Amino acid sequence: MVSRKHKERLKQLVPKGVVQVYHNLRQSANDLYYWSCSIVYRGSTFYCPFCGQSFSRFFPDGDKASVIRQYGVIGGGYRNNCLCPNCLSKDRERLLLLYLQQQSTFFDAVPKSVLHIAPEKNLKELFKQKDYLQYVNADLNPGAADVQMDITDIHYPDSSFDFILCNHVLEHIPNDIQAMRELYRVLKPGGQAILQVPFAENLQVSYEDPTITLPSDREAHFGQFDHVRIYGHDYLQRLSSVGFNVSVYTAQEMLGNSIVQRLSLIPDEKIFVGRK
């Protein structure tokens, strides 16, 4: 199997037109595969709140990195029954939807502004249907979202957004404190920033080393080739240091065992909510 770092190198060598044709063909093959699986896997064990369909099982997802087990990382690494066979929603995406529905005013039909960083496909499609949302989705990579944005330098005025969704992003950012400062700056007073990250229960202090730059080394040390740290219990202090008033919810505490199992969520996965 070709590693992700080798895939990135191949992309630089192959003409863009050829790469695009390859991706189109691969997407068509994937669509056919997932469509067939959505029929074969029909059942009643798991339910997806995005597409409203039930299945006997979900697809697995994630890397089997030993460092994930070593530090007890929640929300990262390999998970059975992670991806919905129909719409490909991930466990963390389903958890975020349930938080917004049950623990916030996000879906109250009153005007509100939203900044969504590295937008998940299903959430983005859902949010765009809500005419009361002034919805901005952004990503560092060109073409990955409607707006190209570096979250360490957000080009919006202070207090611009009622909600900020930044789901599994900060572990990719070398200067995460600057990104946190910017997210706090553009959040309105009284607003909420949902700031999920993979979280290591066995680490009091986040593990990071700026000298580790090779994708293969980052995968070995941080569990993924494009991660630059593994967050530990000091993640809350980092958020608080820039001004956030932080609350922490777990899927189990928030939703209960039956919903966690039905939606195939990680029971101990944490949602970090920063308020201003």
Side-chain angles (χ1 to χ4, degrees):
M1 182 179 292
V2 180
S3 68
R4 277 183 281 191
K5 67 173 183 177
H6 290 135
K7 288 180 182 178
E8 293 302 317
R9 290 175 181 171
L10 285 172
K11 285 181 184 178
Q12 298 173 5
L13 298 175
V14 178
K16 290 184 179 180
V18 175
V19 172
Q20 188 60 53
V21 170
Y22 164 77
H23 281 302
N24 290 342
L25 291 172
R26 184 177 179 183
Q27 185 61 53
S28 297
N30 284 342
D31 289 344
L32 180 60
Y33 171 74
Y34 291 130
W35 174 80
S36 64
C37 286
S38 69
I39 295 174
V40 173
Y41 290 1
R42 284 297 169 90
S44 59
T45 304
F46 299 114
Y47 172 76
C48 176
F50 285 102
C51 63
Q53 297 190 32
S54 297
F55 301 93
S56 61
R57 58 175 171 155
F58 283 172
F59 292 138
D61 189 57
D63 298 324
K64 295 182 178 180
S66 61
V67 71
I68 299 296
R69 296 189 301 273
Q70 177 185 350
Y71 293 124
V73 177
I74 299 170
Y78 183 84
R79 285 100 68 209
N80 283 316
N81 296 306
C82 175
L83 289 170
C84 169
N86 183 56
C87 68
L88 302 184
S89 70
K90 287 190 175 184
D91 43 18
R92 66 194 188 210
E93 192 177 0
R94 296 190 294 273
L95 177 59
L96 181 52
L97 175 63
L98 266 290
Y99 171 80
L100 293 173
Q101 288 177 334
Q102 298 191 14
Q103 303 291 328
S104 80
T105 60
F106 188 92
F107 287 108
D108 292 355
V110 294
K112 56 182 67 70
S113 52
V114 179
L115 174 61
H116 190 183
I117 306 298
E120 299 87 349
K121 176 178 177 290
N122 291 289
L123 286 170
K124 180 170 71 171
E125 290 177 355
L126 177 62
F127 297 159
K128 284 192 169 185
Q129 296 171 12
K130 309 299 181 183
D131 56 9
Y132 52 84
L133 296 180
Q134 300 172 17
Y135 176 59
V136 176
N137 62 91
D139 195 283
L140 179 64
N141 297 311
D146 292 345
V147 175
Q148 186 178 1
M149 177 188 292
D150 179 351
I151 64 169
T152 65
D153 184 22
I154 299 175
H155 294 166
Y156 282 88
D158 295 357
S159 304
S160 291
F161 299 100
D162 297 291
F163 282 86
I164 295 175
L165 311 177
C166 187
N167 193 5
H168 286 241
V169 173
L170 290 170
E171 67 273 16
H172 298 263
I173 310 298
N175 192 350
D176 64 332
I177 297 296
Q178 177 59 23
M180 293 173 188
R181 289 194 188 100
E182 282 290 273
L183 294 170
Y184 182 81
R185 179 184 65 79
V186 299
L187 185 66
K188 290 182 181 180
Q192 294 187 33
I194 292 87
L195 304 164
Q196 279 175 269
V197 294
F199 182 81
E201 287 287 1
N202 299 343
L203 284 177
Q204 290 302 313
V205 178
S206 299
Y207 172 46
E208 56 191 337
D209 183 342
T211 66
I212 299 173
T213 57
L214 291 176
S216 58
D217 291 341
R218 285 180 170 175
E219 186 167 4
H221 284 266
F222 309 127
Q224 193 165 306
F225 79 102
D226 55 352
H227 286 188
V228 298
R229 70 181 58 80
I230 296 177
Y231 281 110
H233 289 268
D234 65 332
Y235 179 56
L236 282 78
Q237 285 73 44
R238 294 189 185 211
L239 294 172
S240 299
S241 72
V242 304
F244 284 117
N245 183 4
V246 184
S247 300
V248 183
Y249 306 85
T250 68
Q252 186 76 45
E253 294 167 346
M254 186 175 70
L255 302 171
N257 187 59
S258 61
I259 294 178
V260 165
Q261 290 186 354
R262 181 87 167 113
L263 272 60
S264 192
L265 307 178
I266 302 171
D268 296 329
E269 182 164 9
K270 291 175 170 58
I271 289 186
F272 299 89
V273 181
R275 292 179 171 87
K276 183 177 181 179

